[in-house]
Amino acid sequence: VEVKIEVVIPEKERSKEEMSPNGKASPLIYKVNGTARHYHLEEHPMASNPYHNPKDVVEASVCHVKDLENGQMREVDLGCGKALLIKESGEFHAVGHKCPHYGAPLVKGVLSRGRVRCPWHGACFNISTGDIEDFPGLDSLPRFQVKIEKEKVYIRASKQALQTQRRTKMMAKCISLSNYNLSSTNVLIIGAGAAGLVCAETLRQEGFSDRIVMCTMDRHLPYDRPKLSKSMDSHPEQIALRPKEFFRTYDIEVLTEMHVAAVDIKNKTAVFKDGFKMEYNKLLIATGNTPKALSCKGKEVENVFNIRTPEDANRVVKLATSKNVVIVGASFLGMEVAAYLAERAHSVSLVELEEVPFKKFFGERVGRAVMKMFESNRVKFYMQTEVSELREQEGKLKEVVLKSGKVLRADVCVVGVGAVPATGFLKQSGINIDSKGFIVVNKMMQTNIPGVFAAGDAVTFPLALRNNKKVNVPHWQMAHMHGRIAALNMLAHGMEISTVPYLWTAMFGKSIRYAGHGEGFDDVVIQGDLDELKFVAFYTK
């Protein structure tokens, strides 16, 4: 259902409007489910011409109406760029042809029920509007005009949109920021990962024009954390989710290197480690996970890393080049790091308690096929054992001793043995946390405390496709969706989460993609060729 609201202000009334302290016209305020919403007229024009400059426009005939069947997509060239032409239910649509996330060709994706889904990482776009409707990624697709004349299909598009292939949704700004008390905010977001950023962006997209503050223990603005183990020499600016200017333009304040020590729900206050306090009206907790450390003898030795920041990843690459690397844990992180370092290091050894990597996720047969690929790329496995000691020489790591008695030469060690939710600071808060430390939320990402929401790796939430069983799904895609649902419900939209979990990993040029949520399985049905790693596996129970 599409609802359009048009506000017409008579000239007399318009001149009477009060001015806000920062000189802008005071916003229109209306109520949605009892919640005040602020809009600036200039920021949300009632009608806008997408083509301001005629010189910026190109129009081209791209095909005959009978060239496409219903349910077909075609990449078409308009001379100065390409578009994706789609025919569904007898209607033609045209949008950007590349996924804004990492540039995947959408023509190779899946078209279904008015949406096209990216073939690489699963982002999903509405073919009528171009809007992003499932994640990962932050931007929507540009949408182009289609017209039919004499059985020919024409597309009219702006050259800029054709060249950028992305569109940032219209966003509000903050009103009279200078008037705010520094120690109070309307929305406080603890954590600056995907969940926190999408929450802030969604609030602005929905016209929210009050103060938003994000705080993070990291020293950087939000960045693409999955890249840390897949592309380890990336610099923070290369993997930033948004540039600095974006946060300035839309008045999203980010406090870096700020550690929240406690939350006082009675007084709606976050207490920081340095003693600073900030009051909030609505709170999102999106603190993610903390990597587990090794508990063996010598764990304080230098050159032993958890990959948590770009600096960690960069340092490991530098230390590992032409040296001996030991990775503890055949987790996604551990395996991705092993794949990245295999060509750069002198040797890569991987230590794991299980007999096969990914056995719990992918089953033994798929795990063995992946293991074989790693072995053919010079990665040595030491399975069904663990580390008993890290030995040093002049304070730096020299050897890793296994419980099996094997001693491995090691100049650098990467630990990937799992993580725990970063929720210790909430223990006395009154916010409901389960026995494993996860924050318990409902389908709207609300905690048991009114006005307090949680999202991302640190939560358990009801999963629609598992009969609303409470689950923890620490996927990048899911964190995006959590942030969006939390923001919509801060604005009282009553939106419930229903997305399908999706994850991917990339190693030695092969990509493994996993959809759904399996907690144990009785059988694995494999179609295709496991040896060639061209297969689909169905996990059944």
Side-chain angles (χ1 to χ4, degrees):
V1 177
E2 188 174 293
V3 180
K4 292 187 178 177
I5 301 172
E6 185 164 347
V7 181
V8 180
I9 302 173
E11 284 302 318
K12 265 194 256 178
E13 295 302 317
R14 196 172 298 186
S15 62
K16 285 182 194 170
E17 271 201 299
E18 290 178 23
M19 298 298 283
S20 67
N22 64 351
K24 287 185 178 178
S26 68
L28 297 171
I29 299 177
Y30 67 92
K31 297 221 169 196
V32 176
N33 297 352
T35 304
R37 301 274 300 284
H38 301 260
Y39 275 89
H40 269 307
L41 280 175
E42 71 266 29
E43 285 156 73
H44 288 261
M46 290 305 159
S48 62
N49 177 4
Y51 309 123
H52 298 294
N53 182 356
K55 289 180 183 175
D56 181 43
V57 178
V58 60
E59 185 172 301
S61 167
V62 291
C63 70
H64 191 275
V65 287
K66 290 181 181 174
D67 288 348
L68 257 70
E69 298 290 330
N70 276 325
Q72 276 193 320
M73 302 188 286
R74 178 184 287 187
E75 217 174 72
V76 292
D77 199 333
L78 276 69
C80 60
K82 293 180 179 179
L84 183 70
L85 181 66
I86 299 161
K87 188 177 183 183
E88 194 172 64
S89 304
E91 288 189 15
F92 286 90
H93 306 270
V95 292
H97 76 290
K98 281 184 181 177
C99 178
H101 180 227
Y102 275 113
L106 291 174
V107 72
K108 294 186 177 179
V110 174
L111 175 65
S112 173
R113 298 179 198 172
R115 303 160 103 204
V116 59
R117 195 175 280 276
C118 170
W120 289 358
H121 306 121
C124 199
F125 304 91
N126 185 303
I127 62 172
S128 299
T129 63
D131 286 351
I132 188 167
E133 293 187 352
D134 199 354
F135 301 94
L138 297 167
D139 290 316
S140 296
L141 297 174
R143 181 175 63 91
F144 308 124
Q145 291 178 359
V146 180
K147 66 176 182 179
I148 312 293
E149 278 184 9
K150 296 177 182 174
E151 300 291 288
K152 284 188 176 179
V153 180
Y154 290 82
I155 295 178
R156 191 165 190 254
S158 93
K159 292 175 186 174
Q160 187 186 359
L162 282 169
Q163 280 148 20
T164 57
Q165 289 292 316
R166 63 181 63 230
R167 173 177 62 86
T168 303
K169 283 188 184 179
M170 187 177 285
M171 291 168 74
K173 296 184 182 186
C174 193
I175 304 163
S176 59
L177 198 57
S178 56
N179 278 16
Y180 284 115
N181 177 347
L182 281 177
S183 60
S184 74
T185 181
N186 198 302
V187 174
L188 176 61
I189 298 168
I190 306 175
L197 178 59
V198 172
C199 178
E201 287 203 24
T202 302
L203 288 169
R204 288 282 184 251
Q205 287 163 5
E206 293 295 311
F208 181 79
S209 56
D210 219 320
R211 192 178 186 199
I212 300 172
V213 175
M214 297 172 74
C215 60
T216 173
M217 287 163 61
D218 220 307
R219 58 196 285 193
H220 305 293
L221 292 171
Y223 57 86
D224 193 341
R225 199 179 288 278
K227 291 286 272 187
L228 294 184
S229 52
K230 295 180 179 79
S231 182
M232 296 178 69
D233 52 3
S234 299
H235 296 298
E237 307 77 53
Q238 293 172 308
I239 58 174
L241 294 173
R242 293 293 193 195
K244 273 183 192 172
E245 300 73 47
F246 180 90
F247 295 93
R248 278 201 291 267
T249 301
Y250 299 111
D251 302 322
I252 297 168
E253 298 167 69
V254 186
L255 309 178
T256 55
E257 296 181 88
M258 291 289 276
H259 187 168
V260 176
V263 172
D264 177 352
I265 58 165
K266 191 179 174 187
N267 295 306
K268 290 192 163 188
T269 303
V271 183
F272 291 80
K273 207 173 182 180
D274 62 3
F276 177 66
K277 293 181 180 180
M278 181 168 275
E279 291 178 20
Y280 61 82
N281 182 27
K282 296 276 196 301
L283 176 67
L284 177 73
I285 302 162
T287 44
N289 283 335
T290 302
K292 287 181 185 172
L294 293 178
S295 56
C296 62
K297 187 180 173 186
K299 62 181 179 182
E300 304 302 328
V301 168
E302 262 189 65
N303 297 344
V304 177
F305 294 87
N306 290 112
I307 306 289
R308 188 69 191 155
T309 65
E311 288 76 16
D312 293 337
N314 296 172
R315 185 102 179 99
V316 166
V317 173
K318 199 173 178 183
L319 289 168
T321 304
S322 304
K323 295 287 173 62
N324 301 301
V325 181
V326 173
I327 295 162
V328 185
S331 57
F332 286 104
L333 181 137
M335 295 287 276
E336 287 169 4
V337 168
Y340 190 81
L341 295 178
E343 284 183 4
R344 294 163 177 81
H346 174 68
S347 71
V348 176
S349 304
L350 211 149
V351 181
E352 167 61 40
L353 260 175
E354 291 280 349
E355 57 186 309
V356 175
F358 300 138
K359 188 179 175 182
K360 283 180 186 169
F361 284 101
F362 297 153
E364 191 167 338
R365 288 173 66 196
V366 174
R368 283 205 188 280
V370 173
M371 188 173 173
K372 193 173 157 189
M373 174 178 71
F374 272 72
E375 287 172 333
S376 68
N377 282 281
R378 297 177 43 249
V379 176
K380 182 92 172 121
F381 286 91
Y382 296 88
M383 306 303 278
Q384 293 179 286
T385 186
E386 53 190 317
V387 176
S388 65
E389 185 184 352
L390 299 172
R391 287 183 186 156
E392 49 101 8
Q393 188 176 3
E394 296 173 9
K396 291 181 180 172
L397 181 68
K398 196 66 191 165
E399 292 173 336
V400 174
V401 184
L402 306 182
K403 285 194 174 168
S404 61
K406 182 79 180 168
V407 179
L408 307 176
R409 288 174 62 193
D411 301 291
V412 59
C413 175
V414 177
V415 181
V417 292
V420 292
T423 56
F425 70 103
L426 298 172
K427 276 183 180 164
Q428 309 301 319
S429 67
I431 294 167
N432 190 5
I433 291 171
D434 72 10
S435 58
K436 292 181 180 176
F438 294 110
I439 304 165
V440 180
V441 296
N442 64 14
K443 283 186 171 187
M444 298 182 189
M445 310 316 294
Q446 293 167 328
T447 68
N448 59 311
I449 307 298
V452 178
F453 298 77
D457 294 4
V459 310
T460 61
F461 68 100
L463 186 64
L465 65 88
R466 294 297 298 272
N467 295 321
N468 296 321
K469 183 183 176 183
K470 287 272 171 84
V471 298
N472 170 250
V473 182
H475 301 347
W476 189 237
Q477 165 249 11
M478 193 56 84
H480 285 69
M481 187 58 86
H482 282 184
R484 178 162 177 77
I485 298 293
L488 292 173
N489 290 311
M490 284 180 182
L491 300 173
H493 282 213
M495 183 68 75
E496 295 186 350
I497 190 159
S498 62
T499 191
V500 174
Y502 182 90
L503 71 88
W504 76 92
T505 182
M507 303 163 294
F508 299 114
K510 291 284 184 184
S511 180
I512 297 174
R513 300 188 269 269
Y514 184 106
H517 184 75
E519 286 182 338
F521 42 87
D522 300 324
D523 194 15
V524 186
V525 180
I526 291 168
Q527 293 181 358
D529 191 333
L530 260 183
D531 293 331
E532 288 288 314
L533 290 175
K534 291 180 178 176
F535 68 94
V536 181
F538 299 91
Y539 297 87
T540 66
K541 204 167 188 176

